[in-house]
Amino acid sequence: MIQLIQASAYFQVVSLAAMVDAGLLPDADRRVLVLANGSQMPEITTPLRENPGFDALAARFDDVVDLGELLWPRRPGQFNPRNEELPLFEKLLRHRWNLGEERVSLVLESIQVNPAQAMARIFFDAPISVHSDGLMSYGPTRNKQSMQMLQRLRETIHIDLVPGLEPMLLLEAPVQRKVLGLESLAAVFAELAAGLDPAELDLPPGAALVVGQYLGSLGILDAAAELELHHRMLLAARDAGASSVVFKPHPSSGPTAALQLRARAESLGLGFEILDTDLLAETVITLMKPLVVISCFSTALLSARYMLGTPVIAVGTAELLQELGPYQNSNRIPVSIVDALLVQKLQTPAEAGPNDELTPLLRAVAYCMQYENLPGLRGEAAAFLEANYSRFGAHFKRRRLAALDLPPHWAHPRRRRHWGRRLQRRALRVGTRSLQRLARTLQEGASRASR
């Protein structure tokens, strides 16, 4: 059997290499790594093949193909063939990727969106495994999946970024859970770092590392709010005792924000360097050994803390919990995780044992996000909110609780309750009038028929 393994980011390539080393991927006669660059602006970002250390990672696979090159000028995320085109694309991919007529299995990163969903539709009878490299696997499935898709799912493979925390991705499907331990991932990052010379980066010792995110590009914050958020990160670095800051912008962000942040750093008396590199944050941390890593809700915060043992600071998570919209935004669970662990100082499930508070918090948030897909979580979500809303209210929106009729009812917006009752009365009146019109129509029809 040939195994097609999709990756849309370089961190995924690293995590998949670690999964191969740990023996977590399903057995296959031949493994083909399918690159599908998921960048918002792939034209101006470094191709996955050109990232430092890629060749060493690619050696774990039998072949490497690039879906983006095949689809150009269409981006992989835009790949959404019509049903009648699926057999044609299967023939094309089998020919271009030298698959022949052999059976195929799929290891996909996200079956909710394209191109993963498109590949699942093209190879319609292939068993599916889902791999996850970040915090979103701890959140619920974004969209309701068809029964045919659910029946093909075999397992999920996730990194133990939050030690002991069970993912809620595909909670509605009977899948096997496989866990990639942080020690396996750390070994791959150590391999990548060993092939580099720290002197080439020329990083100041004892500096704070600020990891940027592209919140403005995603429409989560406007440019001014994102600049203020980064300014608060500079203040956190200064308060932590750093005399200089190394800023690693997100690969998809533009240069303007970094230049504005330099002026802010100089006004605070901080040295400031922009790290222009394609190295992943974890590789930089391994080489640099910073005083502290600072970000908002980047995955690098948790990999730095739990995998690399580096101090971390999260900034702006409480405000972002309220800014995120709609409530079911897929970033909500990652923000809740970082806020709960690094701001509210909860323990991970592995640390807390039977006193785990993080898991019930996230399950309550997940129910509020995707209540239609996860009706079985309603009872425990209600019980958690009744007992813990005063401590964890920032993770929930009052209007959402009111719409779902969840406790505590005293937190429901008053106007929302009145509006809801008016809406119910109006719906009842409309329904009554509709029934009356239907009854009259039936009576008139029966009268005409009897003549």
Side-chain angles (χ1 to χ4, degrees):
M1 180 177 286
I2 299 176
Q3 192 174 88
L4 300 180
I5 307 165
Q6 179 218 350
S8 63
Y10 191 48
F11 191 95
Q12 290 179 6
V13 178
V14 175
S15 63
L16 285 167
M19 290 173 189
V20 171
D21 292 347
L24 293 177
L25 295 187
D27 292 335
D29 300 315
R30 177 175 160 227
R31 290 195 171 109
V32 179
L33 179 63
V34 180
L35 303 179
N37 194 331
S39 169
Q40 297 287 322
M41 296 177 285
E43 297 83 3
I44 63 172
T45 56
T46 302
L48 296 179
R49 288 179 183 268
E50 297 179 16
N51 279 272
F54 177 84
D55 290 342
L57 301 176
R60 271 95 164 171
F61 307 93
D62 297 295
D63 291 292
V64 179
V65 298
D66 195 321
L67 181 63
E69 291 180 358
L70 184 62
L71 298 176
W72 192 89
R74 187 184 302 178
R75 298 173 181 173
Q78 298 170 323
F79 184 40
N80 186 25
R82 298 190 296 265
N83 288 337
E84 59 269 24
E85 297 174 331
L86 297 177
L88 295 176
F89 274 105
E90 182 179 3
K91 289 182 179 179
L92 174 64
L93 297 183
R94 283 187 175 277
H95 171 69
R96 293 294 294 270
W97 295 349
N98 193 28
L99 305 181
E101 299 298 323
E102 291 191 51
R103 288 198 62 201
V104 168
S105 66
L106 300 174
V107 180
L108 305 175
E109 55 143 327
S110 175
I111 62 168
Q112 305 104 296
V113 295
N114 292 314
Q117 194 167 84
M119 290 183 62
R121 291 170 57 221
I122 290 169
F123 299 100
F124 63 93
D125 60 349
I128 299 172
S129 302
V130 176
H131 74 89
S132 179
D133 63 325
L135 296 176
M136 285 190 182
S137 68
Y138 293 116
T141 315
R142 189 186 312 176
N143 303 318
K144 188 177 181 63
Q145 301 299 305
S146 67
M147 182 58 66
Q148 182 188 24
M149 183 73 76
L150 294 176
Q151 289 174 339
R152 294 166 59 193
L153 294 170
R154 299 292 183 266
E155 61 198 354
T156 64
I157 313 168
H158 73 279
I159 302 173
D160 198 25
L161 284 169
V162 183
L165 182 62
E166 289 287 331
M168 285 180 286
L169 179 67
L170 298 172
L171 189 63
E172 64 275 25
V175 295
Q176 180 185 2
R177 302 291 189 186
K178 291 184 178 179
V179 185
L180 176 68
L182 289 177
E183 64 282 355
S184 298
L185 186 62
V188 178
F189 277 112
E191 175 187 338
L192 292 174
L196 300 168
D197 182 2
E200 293 180 4
L201 294 178
D202 193 25
L203 298 175
L209 175 65
V210 173
V211 180
Q213 294 177 259
Y214 58 119
L215 304 179
S217 301
L218 290 176
I220 297 175
L221 298 177
D222 59 33
E226 187 171 28
L227 179 60
E228 289 305 314
L229 177 63
H230 285 143
H231 178 74
R232 290 172 57 192
M233 294 180 189
L234 295 178
L235 294 174
R238 186 188 64 181
D239 294 342
S243 59
S244 59
V245 167
V246 174
F247 180 61
K248 186 181 188 305
H250 192 277
S252 299
S253 64
T256 306
L259 296 176
Q260 291 176 319
L261 197 59
R262 180 191 295 277
R264 295 287 185 99
E266 291 173 353
S267 69
L268 295 173
L270 290 170
F272 187 84
E273 290 193 28
I274 300 173
L275 187 58
D276 184 16
T277 179
D278 294 316
L279 296 177
L280 293 170
E282 288 77 5
T283 308
V284 173
I285 296 167
T286 303
L287 291 168
M288 177 184 170
K289 295 180 173 50
L291 176 71
V292 64
V293 177
I294 305 172
S295 190
C296 184
F297 66 100
S298 171
T299 298
L301 287 172
L302 299 188
S303 56
R305 177 172 180 174
Y306 298 115
M307 183 176 73
L308 302 174
T310 302
V312 297
I313 298 174
V315 176
T317 52
E319 295 83 357
L320 205 58
L321 283 171
Q322 298 305 311
E323 290 290 337
L324 277 177
Y327 189 84
Q328 56 268 35
N329 189 305
S330 297
N331 289 297
R332 183 166 299 282
I333 288 291
V335 179
S336 282
I337 288 174
V338 173
D339 185 79
L341 291 175
L342 305 184
V343 179
Q344 295 186 280
K345 306 300 182 183
L346 295 190
Q347 293 181 309
T348 66
E351 295 168 333
N355 299 318
D356 174 26
E357 293 181 295
L358 182 63
T359 297
L361 165 64
L362 297 179
R363 287 171 72 87
V365 173
Y367 173 75
C368 292
M369 290 174 65
Q370 299 291 345
Y371 62 94
E372 292 180 332
N373 294 344
L374 300 172
L377 296 185
R378 180 176 178 85
E380 59 183 284
F384 177 84
L385 286 162
E386 187 72 63
N388 299 284
Y389 180 79
S390 59
R391 290 180 59 204
F392 300 109
H395 297 264
F396 303 90
K397 289 191 176 180
R398 297 167 64 191
R399 286 183 297 177
R400 192 70 169 180
L401 298 182
L404 297 177
D405 193 28
L406 286 170
H409 290 86
W410 57 261
H412 294 186
R414 184 172 300 176
R415 291 178 59 189
R416 178 73 174 182
R417 291 205 304 269
H418 293 168
W419 177 85
R421 286 198 291 269
R422 288 198 300 270
L423 182 62
Q424 290 173 353
R425 289 196 294 269
R426 181 181 177 186
L428 181 61
R429 290 196 299 271
V430 170
T432 301
R433 288 197 295 268
S434 298
L435 288 173
Q436 290 171 345
R437 285 196 296 269
L438 178 61
R440 285 196 298 270
T441 301
L442 292 174
Q443 289 174 353
E444 292 171 0
S447 177
R448 285 195 295 271
S450 64
R451 291 173 186 171

